[in-house]
Amino acid sequence: MTEFAAPLYSRPAATRLISGLLLAITASVASAALMGLAGWFIVRSAQTGLSSTSSFSWLYPSAGVEALAVIRTASRYGERLSTHRSTLELLAQVRTRLFASATRLPAARLRSLRSGDLLDRVQADVDTLDRYVLAVAVPAVVCTVLGAGSLTVLTIVRPIFGVAAGGLLILALAINLVMDRGSRRLGARLSEERSATRSRLIEAIEGRVELAGYGARTLAYDELRGRFAALEVPARRLSIRSGNGNAVIAVAAGLTVAAILAAGAAGQRPLNSAVLGFAALLALALFDAAKTIGSIGQEAGRARAAWHRLREVTGLAVVTGRGSEPTGASDVEAWPGDAPVPADIVVRGLSAGYGTSPALERAALDVAAGSTVILAGPSGAGKTTLLAVLAGELPAMAGEVRVGGVDPHALSYEQRSSYLTIVEADSGLLSGTIEDNLRLARPEATEAELEDALHVAVLSGFVQRSTDVGPAGSFLSGGQRRRLALAQAYLRRPSLLLLDEPTEGLDDATAVQVLANLRAALPEATIVAAIHGRNAGGVMAHADRVIRMADGELVSDRVR
Amino acid sequence: MPGTPNAVLSKAKPAALTSSPDKPAAQPRREARAWLAGARRHGRAWFVAAGVADVVAAAGTVLGCWNIATLIVVGIGSAHRGGLSAAVVGVVLGALIAALAAVAAGRLAEAGAVRVETAVRDELIEALLLRDADEEPVTPSGAATAVMDQLPQVGAYFRGYARATLATLTVPVVILAAVFPASWVVGLLLLLSLPIIPINMAVTGLGASEVSRRQLSQIGELSAQVLERLQAASTLRALGAIEQQRRVVERAARELARRTVAVLRIAFLASTALEWVSTFAIGVVAMYTGATLLGYVYAAPLPVHIAPRAAVFVLLLAPEFFLPLRRFAAAYHQGQEAIAAAEVLGSLTRTRQVAEPVRCSTWTATPPRVELRGVSLRYRTRPSPTLSGVTLSVPSGSVFGVAGASGSGKSTLLRIAGGWLAPTEGTVRLDARSPDEGGRALLIAQRPYLFPGTLAENLALGQPGLSPSEMWEAIARAQLTSVVRRLPEGLETVLGERGWGVSAGEAQRISIARAFLSDATFLIVDEPTAHLDADTERRLLEPLRELLRGRTALVASHSDAVLGLTDYVVTVEDGHLHD
């Protein structure tokens, strides 16, 4: 974990963490000293009161007790505030980093992220990371310092005290460790089963009317109840373990105090009662502090599991800077910079697909720059796969692909998006206004440019720039969402425009109009659009070429 | 159409799950408290037992402290040396009792909390599976968050906060009972310090709850923001907007951290104040007993002497006196979280449900005659009724079309007729029986829900044991044969999340095939072609016509082609029915 956390700490956050640690140590030392001093003070007072010959001053120790009380309270407050602040700042960094690295995942992985419950888990995992600092690192440091200090003091008072306290403390912590042994696996299993249960629950709620209609609701209800009951077993075992761990430490504390008192009071030369009182109370304070690290194993395990999941889901660790890219970089040097290129397409012997078997086989294709090509064919024909390869999202399993003379997959996302734009079939929108969403594509766009984009996408008159699109664009109709995505793509002014089902949800006349507008507005661009055979209607008539695909092959090519 | 039962999984606003900051806070909070009190009954016996165990633990601590004090002062000669070994045994025994009783209390509270969680969860799942989607704007994943994340907060409340609250009332009494005989002055001192604590907790708590409510809604907004950006990440990438959006996320995340610190500051102040009072009181006890031991105290009626053992004993007990209060302060946030959670959970269990949970739908052998008499429906959250005084009679085997603009009450009418929603007024009868007796309708939804599983599992929903040949026959009747033949593993092909890889038209035909396989005699068909283009719609008409033949059905649609399949068309307008 440290390998990721260290570079994420900003300077002020790191300073805050260190001062938090120092304050934590101060607080617990003051706390132990307070108890020890008070014990010594009372017994010393009793001795003085009885003997009436001593020059013991009441004032200094009692002032000391109150001073320690103030120090303890104040430093405890400071400690909490600074450790929490630095941790929260760290988490803010992690969230940002998470987003940045997730956006660099391969398209297929990114798609799997769309599921809401996976993301919920990601959020929960980020929140768990703070335990690593607050419940593991800070208590561990504090207990080490306090333990070393108080054991040294006890040893100085009487070596046997140090041995007894140290031995019993180590024994208690060792027992805790042994009891915690299976906790990590248990915790990991628990969170796995939890997320499976969450998915089942969401499915059942989404499909509840159908479940009812088909008489399968009781089935679902019983299955869910069973899953939750199964979840409770490991959860309860974990909670019982931490209770037992604390009990072990408490019993060890009792034994230590008994041992110290017995050893100090008995024997040939009994210890001064005041020192004995000091020693006993110091030992109690030590074990009190030890309770905070009793479940350190569980906490660390949970945080580590969360960290591994985050890394697995989002590739968090892969990204340390901003530009790293997993693909081969051989062509990057040949990249002519960000000047738009004439995007002619050359495809030779291309096989590609998302799974192990290619969805596209031995495809060959030449498209001249600036032409309009429609890929037609039923779903499953390989149209989307071909577009993904052209967009550089998907590597070729075999064969080669050149767009403007460059393999798009060898480029970074930034380089790709500077000259090609793909509008996926399920492209997403962000909540906000139409304008906000348009500015995603071109932040510096003028009002005229925005209006122009709405006009090209045949949206002017239907929506205003200030229209609220709702969460993920849900206030818009399917056809409006589609056209807004096309307006965004147009604002990119790409040399290569790849469109997956651009006319879904549009009537024929609008579909023809939008595509004709795009063609006219981007005269230089190569446009490749995948359109369901049955949706194509009049659109086909406006293409330079219509390529029919079926079962992963290009079956016919009609050039007009 | 976010209101349809199959609303697409939209992570609209987790903020809507937590209470919104601008609505008057007192009423829902009172309701939430009442709800929590009601939930407590499921584990009451366990919680009482845990409280008793906590008292026993305190008694063990008292025993241990007494013997520690005895051993410490042995050197001063105020105790018999003969009692030494007994005192050592006492120290260990006290520690054992305290530790074991604490373990027992923890387990008992755990058991009680699990009982509460289980009971509430059962109720919740049942309510969620029966819920009417229109009532509250909670998405399926939002509802899952309530069950998976917010319900455990209620459990934590009973494990931690509620137990700590009870202990603040009982444990100090045990300690005081031991302190008073040793020194009534110290007992009084402790007693007097007590009221300061709740007063100061209440003052800071009030501030904290206001701030934390605001922070909760902020968390909701932030996660919605991040979520939305991750869901749209491939689009953002295509548009070159990643860097720009990374800055948005960063700003939001920092803002969240800042606000959380504001909440924590107040929470820490509250617990610091408490700790200050308790530490200060311990200091005063030490100073007072020290002064008395030294013989400095001459103010009547204060006692002039205190036994050394009693002095050490009360000093040891003073921190124990405040311990439950400190635990309470540490658990304070659990109380706040639980109340926020209870507001959501309470509203979910209270939502409108179908008349009563039906375990299984039964279908009459002949198509039922469906009659709605004076049916009205009014949602609490809406000013005007969604349906008013609808009377409709569908003869056995007839297919009625329902037309009307969206928002006219068409979908509500369909859901009431289907028996999934109980009307506020009026009756629904299937062959003179209520939907609970006569069985509910089978739904062909606008966006049919396909379970992530194989095609065969989806087809055999609710009736395991169908043979492949029966399935193939239904597939043929739904005109899906060529599609399914192309699938890599035929009937055993796994459909992805929300039927990934299946087009909208194909999903609709799968749901029609599924309907062919059931014996349903009454169908509700809700805008079956709303999301389909004209071509796809045309291909659906024939299977649909075949499905409707010989069944009673209500078909809502905007499409003339679909309405053309019906015998008769009624129109819904503003909740009223026109012929």
Side-chain angles (χ1 to χ4, degrees):
Chain A
M1 292 233 350
T2 36
E3 90 268 27
F4 100 93
L8 285 178
Y9 270 111
S10 65
R11 209 189 180 85
T15 314
R16 231 170 253 138
L17 180 67
I18 290 166
S19 60
L21 269 175
L22 292 177
L23 285 167
I25 292 168
T26 312
S28 51
V29 168
S31 184
L34 173 67
M35 288 302 284
L37 179 62
W40 175 84
F41 167 60
I42 298 293
V43 183
R44 190 78 183 85
S45 301
Q47 288 171 334
T48 312
L50 289 177
S51 65
S52 75
T53 55
S54 149
S55 57
F56 173 68
S57 162
W58 173 83
L59 200 60
Y60 295 118
S62 56
V65 165
E66 287 303 341
L68 286 171
V70 173
I71 292 172
R72 176 177 108 158
T73 322
S75 51
R76 181 77 73 210
Y77 172 74
E79 170 228 331
R80 285 183 177 160
L81 200 58
S82 27
T83 52
H84 279 83
R85 266 184 84 173
S86 72
T87 308
L88 286 166
E89 280 162 15
L90 172 73
L91 293 196
Q93 285 274 338
V94 171
R95 279 180 219 280
T96 314
R97 193 61 68 92
L98 193 70
F99 172 74
S101 51
T103 53
R104 296 188 170 275
L105 290 174
R109 289 276 301 284
L110 202 52
R111 181 156 284 133
S112 74
L113 261 182
R114 283 195 190 162
S115 123
D117 28 319
L118 183 59
L119 283 173
D120 277 349
R121 209 180 77 182
V122 167
Q123 302 262 4
D125 281 341
V126 172
D127 286 334
T128 309
L129 288 184
D130 72 346
R131 308 300 299 162
Y132 193 74
V133 180
L134 298 176
V136 178
V138 173
V141 171
V142 170
C143 282
T144 309
V145 174
L146 185 74
S150 30
L151 286 177
T152 310
V153 172
L154 285 173
T155 310
I156 292 170
V157 174
R158 276 241 172 131
I160 182 77
F161 289 0
V163 172
L168 283 163
L169 182 64
I170 289 168
L171 184 66
L173 291 179
I175 292 175
N176 260 296
L177 218 62
V178 172
M179 290 198 303
D180 260 359
R181 219 176 18 182
S183 292
R184 195 195 300 177
R185 219 171 330 113
L186 207 58
R189 212 183 80 204
L190 183 64
S191 71
E192 229 168 72
E193 280 169 16
R194 272 179 61 86
S195 83
T197 306
R198 186 191 293 267
S199 305
R200 288 304 287 177
L201 180 63
I202 293 177
E203 286 159 27
I205 297 171
E206 283 184 322
R208 64 189 179 279
V209 172
E210 267 126 314
L211 283 174
Y214 291 90
R217 191 160 52 197
T218 317
L219 227 66
Y221 180 68
D222 290 344
E223 191 217 316
L224 282 171
R225 286 192 52 176
R227 275 178 178 272
F228 277 110
L231 274 185
E232 244 141 45
V233 178
R236 194 188 277 199
R237 210 178 300 161
L238 280 177
S239 134
I240 284 174
R241 268 184 200 171
S242 72
N244 290 353
N246 276 338
V248 168
I249 293 176
V251 171
L255 286 173
T256 306
V257 172
I260 286 178
L261 291 173
Q268 286 79 9
R269 43 179 196 97
L271 199 65
N272 183 317
S273 294
V275 181
L276 194 57
F278 166 78
L281 270 75
L282 186 64
L284 276 180
L286 170 65
F287 278 89
D288 249 4
K291 278 184 190 161
T292 58
I293 58 167
S295 46
I296 204 167
Q298 257 188 47
E299 296 282 6
R302 211 177 307 161
R304 212 173 295 131
W307 166 240
H308 283 302
R309 269 198 307 274
L310 283 178
R311 204 160 60 169
E312 185 190 319
V313 171
T314 62
L316 186 58
V318 176
V319 177
T320 44
R322 280 196 197 147
S324 64
E325 183 73 8
T327 52
S330 55
D331 277 354
V332 176
E333 290 89 45
W335 178 244
D338 52 11
V341 286
D344 58 312
I345 298 170
V346 179
V347 173
R348 291 280 175 272
L350 172 70
S351 296
Y354 285 98
T356 43
S357 60
L360 195 64
E361 280 189 278
R362 289 183 298 280
L365 179 67
D366 286 280
V367 176
S371 56
T372 310
V373 178
I374 286 181
L375 303 175
S379 56
K383 304 189 298 291
T384 301
T385 306
L386 180 55
L387 287 181
V389 174
L390 291 177
E393 296 279 1
L394 189 66
M397 288 171 173
E400 67 172 331
V401 177
R402 288 281 180 274
V403 174
V406 186
D407 174 8
H409 189 67
L411 301 175
S412 74
Y413 294 119
E414 285 83 358
Q415 287 172 326
R416 270 184 234 153
S417 69
S418 70
Y419 81 105
L420 74 81
T421 301
I422 179 166
V423 177
E424 292 170 303
D426 49 359
S427 82
L429 294 173
L430 300 184
S431 50
T433 61
I434 295 275
E435 175 161 348
D436 294 338
N437 276 284
L438 288 175
R439 284 195 187 280
L440 289 176
R442 181 179 279 261
E444 73 287 355
T446 63
E447 289 187 9
E449 281 175 327
L450 296 179
E451 289 297 347
D452 174 43
L454 289 180
H455 176 75
V456 166
V458 199
L459 270 174
S460 6
F462 296 98
V463 294
Q464 311 295 315
R465 271 186 288 132
S466 59
T467 303
D468 183 3
V469 303
S474 57
F475 293 174
L476 302 181
S477 75
Q480 286 172 340
R481 279 201 293 271
R482 211 80 274 267
R483 280 178 283 167
L484 185 52
L486 294 176
Q488 288 176 320
Y490 162 64
L491 278 171
R492 299 291 300 168
R493 310 275 192 271
S495 308
L496 172 60
L497 182 58
L498 303 168
L499 307 172
D500 198 357
E501 300 296 343
T503 57
E504 184 87 44
L506 304 183
D507 58 65
D508 260 6
T510 315
V512 169
Q513 183 70 53
V514 173
L515 289 188
N517 285 357
L518 273 176
R519 181 66 280 173
L522 297 169
E524 314 265 285
T526 312
I527 299 180
V528 181
I531 297 181
H532 253 292
R534 57 188 182 222
N535 288 351
V539 173
M540 302 283 188
H542 292 258
D544 299 324
R545 283 165 73 183
V546 175
I547 297 172
R548 293 209 170 267
M549 297 184 70
D551 296 327
E553 285 170 36
L554 311 179
V555 289
S556 77
D557 194 343
R558 181 168 59 84
V559 182
R560 288 160 50 86
Chain B
M1 266 238 159
T4 55
N6 292 293
V8 195
L9 187 147
S10 75
K11 284 286 298 179
K13 266 193 187 146
L17 282 177
T18 60
S19 49
S20 102
D22 38 68
K23 85 177 165 201
Q27 176 63 24
R29 284 178 80 77
R30 234 191 336 267
E31 277 175 24
R33 279 178 206 284
W35 185 87
L36 278 174
R40 195 184 131 79
R41 72 175 187 280
H42 299 295
R44 182 175 291 131
W46 300 90
F47 299 137
V48 170
V52 172
D54 274 327
V55 168
V56 173
T61 305
V62 170
L63 176 67
C65 287
W66 178 251
N67 286 295
I68 291 174
T70 307
L71 285 171
I72 288 177
V73 298
V74 132
I76 310 176
S78 61
H80 300 294
R81 282 201 157 251
L84 198 76
S85 51
V88 171
V89 172
V91 171
V92 176
L93 195 65
L96 269 176
I97 291 175
L100 292 180
V103 168
R107 287 197 184 191
L108 288 166
E110 169 77 27
V114 166
R115 270 168 182 76
V116 171
E117 279 187 52
T118 308
V120 173
R121 190 167 46 228
D122 286 352
E123 199 183 332
L124 267 176
I125 295 176
E126 183 133 14
L128 287 171
L129 293 184
L130 295 172
R131 258 178 82 249
D132 169 28
D134 256 10
E135 179 80 358
E136 297 278 343
V138 179
T139 59
S141 67
T145 303
V147 176
M148 302 288 299
D149 303 324
Q150 294 187 294
L151 183 57
Q153 289 179 337
V154 171
Y157 168 88
F158 285 113
R159 262 180 221 111
Y161 182 84
R163 180 181 156 203
T165 312
L166 184 61
T168 56
L169 301 174
T170 56
V171 172
V173 176
V174 175
I175 307 285
L176 281 183
V179 168
F180 262 103
S183 165
W184 65 265
V185 180
V186 172
L188 201 62
L189 202 72
L190 293 179
L191 196 59
L192 286 178
S193 69
L194 212 47
I196 301 171
I197 290 156
I199 291 170
N200 121 9
M201 293 294 292
V203 172
T204 35
L206 275 180
S209 70
E210 210 20 70
V211 179
S212 70
R213 289 168 73 80
R214 263 183 280 145
Q215 193 248 2
L216 272 179
S217 72
Q218 173 95 14
I219 289 178
E221 278 164 36
L222 173 86
S223 28
Q225 270 186 22
V226 176
L227 212 63
E228 209 178 44
R229 276 159 185 75
L230 277 172
Q231 283 175 323
S234 64
T235 304
L236 295 176
R237 188 155 80 190
L239 296 176
I242 294 291
E243 182 50 29
Q244 171 200 355
Q245 291 304 309
R246 193 188 65 82
R247 284 197 297 271
V248 172
V249 170
E250 186 168 24
R251 251 200 320 276
R254 279 186 197 284
E255 179 64 13
L256 176 72
R258 206 180 60 74
R259 295 223 181 188
T260 310
V261 169
V263 178
L264 289 178
R265 195 187 293 272
I266 292 175
F268 292 160
L269 267 179
S271 60
T272 300
L274 179 71
E275 203 162 307
W276 166 247
V277 171
S278 70
T279 318
F280 186 75
I282 295 166
V284 170
V285 168
M287 284 162 67
Y288 164 75
T289 47
T292 311
L293 285 167
L294 287 168
Y296 292 170
V297 177
Y298 287 115
L302 299 183
V304 182
H305 296 295
I306 183 169
R309 174 154 72 173
V312 177
F313 179 55
V314 296
L315 180 71
L316 286 169
L317 280 185
E320 299 296 332
F321 177 79
F322 292 103
L323 193 61
L325 288 157
R326 286 168 59 184
R327 290 213 177 114
F328 171 78
Y332 190 73
H333 68 103
Q334 288 179 339
Q336 298 294 318
E337 284 170 0
I339 285 175
E343 284 178 29
V344 177
L345 297 174
S347 76
L348 284 179
T349 44
R350 267 196 306 274
T351 42
R352 166 183 287 280
Q353 297 175 9
V354 249
E356 72 186 48
V358 167
R359 295 261 149 187
C360 182
S361 298
T362 48
W363 288 293
T364 48
T366 54
R369 168 191 177 79
V370 179
E371 270 185 287
L372 277 69
R373 257 182 250 123
V375 165
S376 298
L377 187 98
R378 181 186 282 276
Y379 288 116
R380 311 186 258 139
T381 46
R382 293 189 197 162
S384 59
T386 308
L387 271 189
S388 47
V390 170
T391 296
L392 176 68
S393 175
V394 186
S396 165
S398 290
V399 177
F400 271 37
V402 182
S406 40
S408 60
K410 205 168 40 173
S411 290
T412 308
L413 173 63
L414 254 55
R415 284 215 297 282
I416 290 179
W420 302 298
L421 180 58
T424 329
E425 280 166 45
T427 54
V428 180
R429 289 288 175 268
L430 309 183
D431 286 342
R433 291 182 297 177
S434 79
D436 292 332
E437 301 157 346
R440 287 155 217 277
L442 193 142
L443 175 79
I444 303 290
Q446 196 177 109
R447 292 177 197 263
Y449 185 77
L450 300 182
F451 287 85
T454 64
L455 177 60
E457 282 165 2
N458 270 286
L459 289 175
L461 189 60
Q463 35 185 357
L466 281 178
S467 71
S469 64
E470 286 171 297
M471 291 188 200
W472 279 110
E473 194 198 323
I475 287 170
R477 293 170 82 182
Q479 299 192 358
L480 264 174
T481 311
S482 64
V483 177
V484 178
R485 288 220 186 280
R486 267 210 313 279
L487 291 175
E489 284 154 76
L491 288 174
E492 297 307 315
T493 305
V494 175
L495 310 176
E497 184 170 296
R498 293 215 43 102
W500 181 263
V502 177
S503 76
E506 287 159 0
Q508 197 55 275
R509 277 184 283 160
I510 291 175
S511 90
I512 290 177
R514 187 153 76 181
F516 275 124
L517 284 167
S518 83
D519 310 321
T521 48
F522 176 30
L523 296 178
I524 296 287
V525 185
D526 191 6
E527 309 221 21
T529 61
H531 294 276
L532 308 179
D533 56 82
D535 216 38
T536 317
E537 176 177 78
R538 254 194 311 285
R539 303 181 57 167
L540 259 179
L541 290 178
E542 210 29 61
L544 204 54
R545 186 198 307 280
E546 162 109 21
L547 179 65
L548 293 172
R549 184 177 304 142
R551 293 180 163 95
T552 310
L554 280 171
V555 182
S557 186
H558 292 294
S559 151
D560 290 338
V562 172
L563 290 177
L565 299 176
T566 62
D567 304 328
Y568 191 73
V569 177
V570 293
T571 307
V572 185
E573 208 179 306
D574 286 335
H576 296 275
L577 198 64
H578 303 284
D579 285 355

